[in-house]
Each structure stands twice: as C-alpha cells, then as structure tokens.
Amino acid sequence: MRAFVLTGPRRGAVLEVPSPEPAPGEVVVDVERAGVCGTDVEFFTGEMAYLHQGHAAYPMRLGHEWAGTVSAVGAGVDPAWLGSRVMGDTMLGDRTCRRCRRGHQHTCEDRQEVGIRGGRAGALAERLAVPAWSLHTLPDEVDAVLGALVEPGGNALRAARAAGAGEGDRVLVLGPGTIGLLTAMFLRAAGAEVHLLGQDALTFARSLGFAHTWTRDTLPDLPFDAVVDASGAAELPALAVEVVEPAGRVVYIGLSARPSELDTRALVMKDVTAVGVLSASPALADTITAYATGSVDPRPLVGATLGLDGVAAVLGGERFAAPKVHVDPRR
C-alpha cells in the first residue's frame, strides 16, 4: 500500500510499504480521511520531544486524526465490525496498569500513540491497524470529514468543559488555531460569551461568527470568568492567570516549544483553578454526539483535502485559508 513515511528531520516521501495484517484483537481500517496537525509538524522538523526521550524514532508513519471503514479483523474480534464506519482513540494504554484500571489509559506510562509514540504506525496511509477496543462507531450523520475531526474535537471539548463556563460566563481563548477554534465552538454551544486572542487568523475566526477577536495590544479590560490557553506561546500561560477573574479557571491545552513561565503565587492569591488537558480519549463519544446532532459544526475548519503526495508540502509550511488540512489516502 501507499503511505507517507518520515525518515528523518524534514525528510519524508510517499512509499510502497507492506499492507498491515490485523494481529489478534486488532482490525484493519481503510482510511478515508486523516488530519495533519501541529504534532506531525514537530516530528517533521525534529523538534518533537518524544524523539529526544526515546518514545519515537525515525522512520515513522504519522497520522492520529482519522476516519475510515473496517476491512479486516484479527483473531478474537467480532466479525460484526467488518464494514463499520469508525474513528479511533489515539492513546493506547496497556490496559493493565493502575492508571488504565482507574480509567486514565490516556496517561499510561507504557502507552502507544497512533502515529506518534511507541512505533504504532499512523493513518497517513491507505490502511491502518488498531486495536478493536479503541474504535468508536460513526453514525450516518458523521461522515469521514467529521470523523477525522473527532480527535481534535475531543481535546477541545475537554478544554471547554474544564473551563466550567455556560450561560452568563465570559471566556477568553488564547490561540485561534484548530484546537482554539474548536474549543470556542464548544464553549459557544454551552452558552458562554467567547472571546479569542491571537496574532493572526482573526479574520477567519470572525467568519465563524466570533465577533470578539483581539490581539495582545487590543485586548479590552473585561472580567473573564475562564481563560483557555490553546496557543503554543511560552508567555501566554502567565497572561491567562493575569486576565482571569479571581476564583476563575484557567485551562492549559497548548504546548510551547520551550518551558513556559508561570508564577504560582498569582494562582494562589487569585484563588484560581488551573487544569491541564492531555488527550481526547475521555470525550470522543460525546464529540461524536455533538457532531451528529449539529450542536457543533467544525467543517469550516478544513481548508483543503489533499492526497498523500501533498503531505510533505503541508508539513513544510504550506498553509490554506482555514487551519486544518485533511488527507484522502485514496487520491
């Protein structure tokens, strides 16, 4: 089959590789859509921390946001999965450790991550092998485009919920990228007044109906009941605490390339609750429901759908009017 293979920093190509066979407990999925995200770019540039921590190594196959159809099942898997339209969890815990047994398999020390960690090949390929237990069925209302947006949407839904905001609350989202905009959509669906701060892409945010968009210089002096940092800027975690209301909540889902600085005395003196969000795992099912019912429609975030031959250019910096790029490996 054809797959995009990353062989080193800024080196990758579409190659012919062996098609996966389902191991016991696994299925093979024919991939219909796969998203490209910032994590993939970090692997392309060589900056991704996992490369330096021993959790990942070249060559590798990227792609952890995906949707497709089950085409084969391994031993011990219910054959009823065949033909099912699915997406899957990125985080694959060992299912035996204390964290997994307590329902936190996405934090398992020995986890694999599809297309990211532990040698588990990703979805920038025509076919993908994953454990059957990691699958989520997609209803008819959730096509492949929406299905490949479930994983980033699950991250955003967790961030929005962690903000604890609803009717009558004002929330500031830092960073108008895919996760920031998805978080803003979920907050808006919950009834919150949503504001966005960024350096660019604000015109696009306004096209999605977000009227309150600001730069650092134009941010008004308003009481924000919660702030979500979905940026990759090392200085913005501190800004979140600075502008949030006393007794408010700050949510951190963005990751910067260098350590951020945050004075915990500010958290204490303002009685602020700070929450970190890793992984979409606990919110995948609810994200599918939100998309199926139409309470959140993330389709406008997809700026282009390319074939595998277009992946290298996107990883190298090619951008489109909307932040998310999808890949159809069948092209």
Side-chain angles (χ1 to χ4, degrees):
M1 69 172 184
R2 297 171 72 243
F4 182 82
V5 180
L6 196 59
T7 55
R10 300 189 181 278
R11 298 198 307 273
V14 179
L15 303 177
E16 289 287 336
V17 302
S19 186
E21 296 290 336
E26 291 187 346
V27 304
V28 169
V29 176
D30 292 345
V31 180
E32 297 170 21
R33 288 290 189 282
V36 178
C37 89
T39 299
D40 302 319
V41 174
E42 288 187 23
F43 276 116
F44 180 75
T45 62
E47 296 172 318
M48 175 59 182
Y50 282 174
L51 292 168
H52 310 287
Q53 296 167 344
H55 296 308
Y58 304 119
M60 62 184 303
R61 298 218 304 267
L62 304 173
H64 59 277
E65 307 170 1
W66 59 269
T69 300
V70 176
S71 59
V73 299
V77 177
D78 188 343
W81 277 111
L82 287 168
S84 297
R85 298 179 53 256
V86 296
M87 63 79 56
D89 199 339
T90 297
M91 313 298 251
L92 308 179
D94 62 17
R95 309 188 80 196
T96 61
C97 71
R98 183 176 187 270
R99 295 175 191 174
C100 287
R101 294 196 310 270
R102 293 168 72 91
H104 306 304
Q105 61 93 18
H106 59 291
T107 67
C108 174
E109 186 67 25
D110 296 321
R111 69 185 180 274
Q112 291 183 319
E113 299 178 26
V114 176
I116 297 176
R117 172 174 163 150
R120 173 65 69 165
L124 290 179
E126 293 178 319
R127 286 176 288 282
L128 171 74
V130 292
W133 63 262
S134 70
L135 299 176
H136 289 260
T137 303
L138 299 176
D140 292 341
E141 297 85 356
V142 178
D143 63 7
V145 176
L146 290 175
L149 288 164
V150 171
E151 198 279 341
N155 280 281
L157 177 54
R158 290 192 65 209
R161 286 176 168 171
E167 295 286 347
D169 293 319
R170 180 183 292 118
V171 184
L172 176 64
V173 178
L174 309 177
T178 298
I179 297 298
L181 290 170
L182 280 165
T183 301
M185 289 178 173
F186 281 108
L187 286 165
R188 180 170 61 186
E193 177 185 304
V194 182
H195 294 242
L196 284 146
L197 182 145
Q199 292 181 326
D200 50 30
L202 295 175
T203 299
F204 180 71
R206 287 191 288 271
S207 76
L208 299 176
F210 295 105
H212 308 297
T213 59
W214 317 102
T215 65
R216 185 79 176 264
D217 293 335
T218 63
L219 183 65
D221 184 15
L222 293 171
F224 294 105
D225 302 293
V227 180
V228 179
D229 177 18
S231 77
E235 68 275 12
L236 290 189
L239 177 67
V241 178
E242 178 184 332
V243 301
V244 76
E245 279 286 275
R249 299 175 71 86
V250 292
V251 181
Y252 296 112
I253 190 170
L255 290 172
S256 60
R258 60 182 175 86
S260 55
E261 295 182 3
L262 178 62
D263 187 346
T264 57
R265 293 174 298 182
L267 290 172
V268 174
M269 298 305 294
K270 294 184 74 171
D271 196 29
V272 167
T273 299
V275 181
V277 173
L278 171 71
S279 166
S281 300
L284 293 174
D286 287 346
T287 301
I288 292 171
T289 298
Y291 291 174
T293 60
S295 64
V296 169
D297 180 10
R299 292 177 186 275
L301 299 181
V302 181
T305 302
L306 311 173
L308 287 170
D309 292 329
V311 171
V314 172
L315 294 176
E318 184 178 13
R319 295 294 179 263
F320 299 88
K324 177 57 65 178
V325 173
H326 274 180
V327 174
D328 183 344
R330 302 168 297 181
R331 291 189 176 185

